[in-house]
């Protein structure tokens, strides 16, 4: 795999997207991810091109966001003016002076990923600073101001891509991305997340299936709280590969929020880094199988900023660039020393969590007494018949 041309976005200017000193989305998670990737030699392959970022123009932002919303974000930045109509100035998404520039820079990174695929300079691309999936057409939310993945998807469509599958594995529902493409039959948005009954944003139920003329283009797997590796991977494999095959996308765009980890303070899922790495391998496989490898990956949520996020996203980076990192690899001592000295945090000694990765294939049968199986079956019943698939057997 090492020879696949890959673009990776990294630029220290991305650290300027910082709400305030005690906000959970601390850009240190990006800095530590980049440092760990550098220690593991993941940016230096002959097939890897590193992209720096600029500020996305209003015209680029306007491909998925309304003009009045972009104006409201700029006013918030310039005058510190909240706009509750637009979700700006809330506890989740407070206003700060770089809010427009920081968010527009993230967009530019993921836009460049899409452009690299269009130009043929890359087959795979990664912006782990991206994945701002709660940003809707005219509203910020959940720490997200502009939706970089949506901009990238829209660019792909505008340049002739016929179908795109968006796969969101963040613990929180990818509501903004779903909303932007809800009526577009060319984009299938798939989100596997903790149920909205028990977690922000309170959406992402199986009966959210796409708008008129786009029925079946929105797919939601709403998992019970405390779902762990085996249940999560069972749900993923019981729904996503079948629908990707049926939809026949030309590109996969994925969002890899790692807040599904058992140590994350903002969700109740119980995944290991090992399972998060597995999900990235599975998405890579889907891209290879259905899209001639064309795949754009982004980061997303993740609030165990020292102990989980850098390891999870270093695994994602390794898979993207064709140099997967073994779960048994020792975390480089220089990196652990840096985190200890700078943040007084002891980090794990290995790149994995020593989890036993195993899941029951759906082919072994549906268990109505199992809450994960019931969640999976709700999604299969809603979506599978729209693609000629049998909810029980396919």
């Amino acid at each position: 795999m090492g020879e696949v041309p890959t673009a990776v976005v990294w630029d220290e200017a991305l650290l300027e997207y910082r709400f305030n000193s005690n906000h959970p989305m601390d850009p240190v998670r990006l800095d530590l991810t980049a440092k760990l990737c550098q220690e593991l030699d993941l940016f230096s392959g002959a097939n890897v091109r590193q992209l720096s970022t600029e500020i996305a123009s209003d015209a680029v932002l306007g491909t998925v966001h309304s003009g009045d919303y972009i104006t409201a974000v700029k006013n918030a930045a310039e005058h510190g003016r909240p706009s509750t109509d637009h979700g700006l100035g809330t506890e989740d998404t407070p206003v700060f002076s770089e809010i427009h520039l920081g968010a527009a820079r993230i967009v530019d990174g993921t836009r460049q990923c899409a452009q690299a695929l269009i130009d043929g300079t890359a087959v795979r691309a990664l912006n782990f600073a991206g994945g701002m999936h709660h940003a809707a057409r005219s509203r910020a939310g959940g720490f997200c101001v502009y939706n970089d993945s949506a901009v990238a998807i829209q660019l792909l469509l505008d340049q002739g891509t016929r179908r795109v599958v968006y796969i969101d594995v963040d613990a929180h529902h990818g509501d903004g991305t779903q909303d932007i493409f809800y009526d577009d039959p060319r984009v299938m948005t798939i989100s596997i997340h903790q149920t909205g009954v028990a977690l922000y944003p309170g959406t992402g139920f199986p009966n959210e299936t796409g708008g008129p003329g786009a029925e079946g283009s929105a797919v939601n797997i709403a998992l019970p709280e405390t779902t762990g590796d085996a249940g999560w991977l069972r749900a993923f494999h019981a729904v996503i590969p079948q629908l990707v095959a049926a939809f026949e996308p030309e590109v996969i765009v994925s969002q890899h929020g790692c807040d599904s980890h058992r140590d994350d303070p903002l969700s109740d899922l119980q995944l290991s880094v090992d399972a998060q790495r597995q999900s990235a391998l599975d998405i890579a496989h889907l891209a290879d199988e259905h899209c001639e490898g064309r795949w754009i990956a982004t980061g997303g949520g993740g609030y165990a900023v020292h102990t989980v996020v850098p390891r999870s996203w270093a695994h994602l980076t390794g898979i993207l660039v064709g140099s997967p990192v073994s779960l048994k690899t020792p975390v480089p001592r220089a990196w652990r020393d840096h985190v200890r000295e700078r943040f007084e945090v002891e980090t794990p000694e290995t790149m994995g969590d020593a989890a036993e990765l195993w899941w029951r294939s759906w082919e072994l049968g549906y268990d109505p007494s199992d809450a994960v199986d019931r969640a999976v079956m709700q999604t299969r019943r809603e979506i599978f018949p729209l693609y000629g698939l049998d909810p029980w057997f396919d």
Side-chain angles (χ1 to χ4, degrees):
M1 284 306 301
E3 70 287 352
V4 174
T6 305
V8 174
V9 173
W10 178 242
D11 187 333
E12 291 201 347
L14 290 160
L15 302 174
E16 289 162 19
Y17 188 77
R18 183 172 189 266
F19 290 101
N20 54 46
S21 59
N22 53 10
H23 194 280
M25 190 182 257
D26 186 337
V28 72
R29 67 203 191 117
L30 305 178
D31 184 48
L32 291 178
T33 297
K35 284 184 165 67
L36 183 54
C37 288
Q38 283 155 352
E39 286 285 340
L40 292 165
D41 219 18
L42 297 176
F43 290 164
S44 57
N47 63 315
V48 180
R49 187 165 55 101
Q50 198 169 315
L51 304 176
S52 55
T53 54
E54 295 181 6
I55 308 296
S57 68
D58 289 7
V60 166
L61 298 172
T63 60
V64 302
H65 293 294
S66 65
D68 67 321
Y69 175 61
I70 297 166
T71 301
V73 177
K74 287 179 156 179
N75 283 337
E78 217 170 312
H79 309 294
R81 190 179 294 153
S83 173
T84 45
D85 287 355
H86 296 105
L88 297 162
T90 62
E91 190 182 351
D92 267 358
T93 315
V95 165
F96 63 107
S97 62
E98 302 292 312
I99 191 168
H100 167 73
L101 295 175
R105 185 180 289 283
I106 291 169
V107 166
D108 182 67
T110 312
R111 179 200 66 78
Q112 286 193 61
C113 289
Q115 193 62 53
L117 265 66
I118 291 160
D119 295 342
T121 57
V123 175
R124 292 176 166 185
L126 168 67
N127 180 14
F128 55 72
M132 299 293 149
H133 64 163
H134 296 308
R137 196 171 294 284
S138 299
R139 190 171 177 81
F143 320 157
C144 304
V145 177
Y146 294 135
N147 194 315
D148 59 292
S149 298
V151 167
I153 292 167
Q154 190 62 52
L155 179 62
L156 290 165
L157 297 173
D158 292 346
Q159 294 294 322
T161 303
R162 285 174 300 192
R163 282 180 302 281
V164 177
V165 165
Y166 168 81
I167 302 174
D168 189 318
V169 303
D170 195 289
H172 301 81
H173 175 227
D175 57 335
T177 316
Q178 173 181 291
D179 291 352
I180 287 167
F181 296 110
Y182 203 65
D183 298 325
D184 193 332
R186 299 172 296 173
V187 182
M188 176 183 276
T189 59
I190 304 175
S191 181
I192 176 169
H193 49 264
Q194 181 178 329
T195 173
V197 169
L199 195 67
Y200 178 90
T203 54
F205 297 101
N207 63 354
E208 296 167 33
T209 59
E215 294 86 356
S217 70
V219 180
N220 288 289
I221 309 165
L223 294 173
E225 299 147 87
T226 74
T227 298
D229 291 351
W232 193 98
L233 288 163
R234 174 166 166 80
F236 181 104
H237 286 275
V239 174
I240 295 174
Q242 298 87 326
L243 291 177
V244 172
F247 195 71
E248 298 181 340
E250 294 181 333
V251 180
I252 289 176
V253 177
S254 55
Q255 195 270 21
H256 294 262
C258 54
D259 44 8
S260 57
H261 194 274
R262 61 193 181 215
D263 293 342
D264 197 278
L266 296 192
S267 96
D268 308 295
L269 298 178
Q270 298 289 310
L271 268 63
S272 64
V273 163
D274 311 40
Q276 293 174 340
R277 176 182 181 273
Q278 182 63 45
S279 72
L281 285 167
D282 292 333
I283 292 169
H285 176 70
L286 291 172
D288 288 342
E289 201 176 358
H290 301 290
C291 309
E292 296 175 338
R294 287 189 295 270
W295 174 30
I296 297 168
T298 66
Y303 309 100
V305 297
H306 309 98
T307 55
V308 174
V309 180
R311 288 187 301 145
S312 188
W313 288 350
H315 281 302
L316 175 64
T317 305
I319 290 161
L320 251 293
V321 303
S323 302
V325 178
S326 163
L327 291 162
K328 294 189 168 114
T329 301
V331 176
R333 175 160 292 283
W335 186 86
R336 295 188 67 223
D337 289 347
H338 168 73
V339 179
R340 183 188 303 112
E341 287 157 20
R342 180 83 194 275
F343 304 104
E344 298 180 352
V345 173
E346 285 296 332
T347 50
E349 290 181 20
T350 61
M351 287 295 292
D353 289 333
E356 290 278 329
L357 274 199
W358 174 89
W359 64 93
R360 219 161 53 87
S361 161
W362 191 258
E363 288 150 19
L364 296 175
Y366 165 59
D367 178 359
S369 69
D370 183 279
V372 169
D373 276 22
R374 292 197 301 273
V376 167
M377 186 50 96
Q378 281 185 286
T379 302
R380 288 172 62 107
R381 278 186 178 137
E382 289 281 357
I383 304 290
F384 273 34
L386 300 172
Y387 292 93
L389 297 169
D390 186 311
W392 294 93
F393 299 112
D394 280 328

